[in-house]
Amino acid sequence: LGVVLLLTRIVVGILCSMRLVDRARPVSLSSSVDQVPTAARVFESDEVLVPVTLGVWRPAIVLPADWNTWDHSLVEIAVAHEAEHLRRRDTLVGLLTAINAALYWFHPMVWLLRRHIHELAEQACDDEVIRTTGQRAEYAQILVNMASRLASGAARYQTAGIGMASKSLVEKRVVRILDDHRPLDARPGRVRSLLLAGLVATAAIVIAGLSAVPNVVSAQETTAPEVAAQITTEKSAPAEPQPDVQEPH
């Protein structure tokens, strides 16, 4: 039942994200915002509070409806962050980790793996924004402001996508961003990003195997005493008397 509910939630989230993108309005960013890939689709919507990347096969960047009132530096940083999610195919990786968690929801390592991969994705995007813009303090302030928008707003926020500011990670991300002595992570290539998606699927198989081992061992531990008891009973049982056979004279 747990697997069915979690998989249903994933499907509903994907459908809601697709419909949100269909209802969103396409926007044309200024030519000075050069962080957007050429083939990227950018929209605006009244249904999101912070910039978010939605979609798996054709992901799109969706901006809040008031994005055109923001300062140019804010738009540049927000778009740079979401564009890095696009380049890394983080929505695909997120879908694989969600399916993994749905299939093996009973195993704590699955949820730890999902959270860790999400944190790594945000850290990689943060480092790329710093590398591109060089604005550590301003970027940290923007993250705090985006988190406050999530806390105070009532608009819909799609969990099937990857938002710019997750409230649970903002404090940790701000500390990392403001640490001038921390070296920036190397930017992984497209191949490495896709390999990460494959590793998630492999991890699911390994975790499933680890989950099956205790069951097998338990079954063996339960069966062994029963077999031993049966052998002992057979040995201790009195032998059946054999009929006398008289030889013919």
Side-chain angles (χ1 to χ4, degrees):
L1 180 60
V3 174
V4 174
L5 291 176
L6 290 173
L7 290 178
T8 301
R9 181 183 178 185
I10 294 173
V11 173
V12 171
I14 293 174
L15 292 177
C16 288
S17 298
M18 293 173 60
R19 292 176 180 175
L20 189 151
V21 173
D22 290 339
R23 291 190 299 267
R25 302 173 294 273
V27 300
S28 178
L29 297 174
S30 170
S31 58
S32 58
V33 182
D34 56 0
Q35 283 80 13
V36 183
T38 305
R41 301 182 301 157
V42 183
F43 299 88
E44 65 176 16
S45 173
D46 299 318
E47 301 179 66
V48 299
L49 293 169
V50 299
V52 60
T53 301
L54 296 174
V56 178
W57 308 118
R58 293 188 64 202
I61 298 175
V62 182
L63 302 174
D66 62 343
W67 70 272
N68 51 4
T69 64
W70 297 353
D71 294 336
H72 177 269
S73 59
L74 173 54
V75 176
E76 184 180 28
I77 287 175
V79 170
H81 182 92
E82 299 306 321
E84 186 64 13
H85 279 308
L86 284 179
R87 192 194 70 83
R88 289 169 44 87
R89 303 289 295 181
D90 284 332
T91 53
L92 174 59
V93 175
L95 175 61
L96 292 176
T97 58
I99 295 174
N100 182 28
L103 296 178
Y104 306 107
W105 58 270
F106 50 85
H107 203 297
M109 286 299 298
V110 169
W111 300 100
L112 292 176
L113 173 67
R114 184 182 183 186
R115 178 178 178 84
H116 186 59
I117 289 178
H118 176 64
E119 289 185 8
L120 290 178
E122 293 300 337
Q123 292 175 11
C125 292
D126 290 342
D127 285 356
E128 184 58 26
V129 171
I130 296 171
R131 186 181 293 108
T132 302
T133 65
Q135 303 177 19
R136 287 180 178 267
E138 186 172 359
Y139 182 38
Q141 184 60 51
I142 288 174
L143 283 182
V144 174
N145 293 340
M146 291 296 175
S148 65
R149 287 171 67 101
L150 285 177
S152 60
R156 295 173 59 189
Y157 182 67
Q158 297 301 319
T159 57
I162 301 178
M164 180 178 177
S166 174
K167 290 182 288 185
S168 60
L169 296 178
V170 166
E171 182 177 356
K172 183 184 294 187
R173 291 171 62 188
V174 167
V175 171
R176 291 184 75 260
I177 291 170
L178 296 178
D179 185 2
D180 294 332
H181 303 289
R182 179 185 61 84
L184 299 178
D185 294 337
R187 185 183 191 186
R190 180 180 297 272
V191 175
R192 290 181 61 187
S193 299
L194 293 177
L195 283 176
L196 178 59
L199 287 175
V200 172
T202 304
I205 299 174
V206 173
I207 290 175
L210 293 176
S211 302
V213 169
N215 296 331
V216 174
V217 173
S218 177
Q220 292 176 345
E221 292 176 349
T222 303
T223 305
E226 295 177 354
V227 173
Q230 182 178 358
I231 295 174
T232 303
T233 303
E234 292 177 353
K235 288 183 177 180
S236 60
E240 296 182 359
Q242 299 293 330
D244 294 334
V245 179
Q246 296 181 355
E247 296 181 358
H249 296 285

